[in-house]
Amino acid sequence: MRQLIAVLLTCAAGAAPAQDFGPAERNFFIHCSGCHGEDARGGGAVSFILDTKPPDLTKLAEQNGGVFPLARVVFRIDGRDPLTAHTEMPDFGAALEGATVMLKAETGQPVMTTEAIAGLVRWLEAAQR
């Protein structure tokens, strides 16, 4: 139930502003910023009602030995990560459907995903600090 409330509040909080964002930034704002914050650091508008604080997405590489965990991020977003079922993070695979593309994981293995998720993941990779 908390997950449903978080998703609904995220959608309500994620109405895109008049400012013109690129598709990846727009997708982040609409689907992710309610929990992760507009700066991707975990302090979104609905984060205070969640049992688990959303992670700082700008530190994913830092927390992974300096390597951006591309495959894990794709799988967490689209719901293929088995941990997603045990957290309050909804899977956005259905919301970010579209043409399929291949990314190369940090291990060199191919990762199939949609263009929308690929753009979002690349945007998050560029946001690492």
Side-chain angles (χ1 to χ4, degrees):
M1 182 63 167
R2 282 186 303 245
Q3 183 178 2
L4 176 61
I5 293 169
V7 170
L8 293 173
L9 289 173
T10 299
C11 291
Q19 189 174 3
D20 185 27
F21 292 107
E25 291 173 303
R26 193 173 311 111
N27 279 331
F28 182 85
F29 189 82
I30 291 168
H31 300 291
C32 312
S33 67
C35 293
H36 293 284
E38 291 181 29
D39 61 1
R41 294 186 181 183
V46 299
S47 64
F48 71 94
I49 68 164
L50 302 174
D51 291 336
T52 304
K53 182 180 180 340
D56 181 339
L57 299 178
T58 67
K59 292 186 173 185
L60 295 173
E62 177 185 310
Q63 296 165 348
N64 193 48
V67 178
F68 183 75
L70 185 140
R72 186 177 68 191
V73 173
V74 168
F75 296 161
R76 190 68 54 96
I77 294 169
D78 71 14
R80 285 185 276 175
D81 185 337
L83 291 178
T84 304
H86 301 287
T87 69
E88 293 187 30
M89 175 154 166
D91 91 55
F92 290 100
L96 297 169
E97 290 180 337
T100 302
V101 297
M102 184 188 77
L103 299 175
K104 189 178 281 191
E106 63 280 7
T107 60
Q109 293 182 309
V111 175
M112 301 304 289
T113 190
T114 65
E115 287 179 341
I117 292 175
L120 184 54
V121 169
R122 291 295 185 208
W123 184 82
L124 287 170
E125 185 174 24
Q128 298 305 292
R129 50 186 177 108

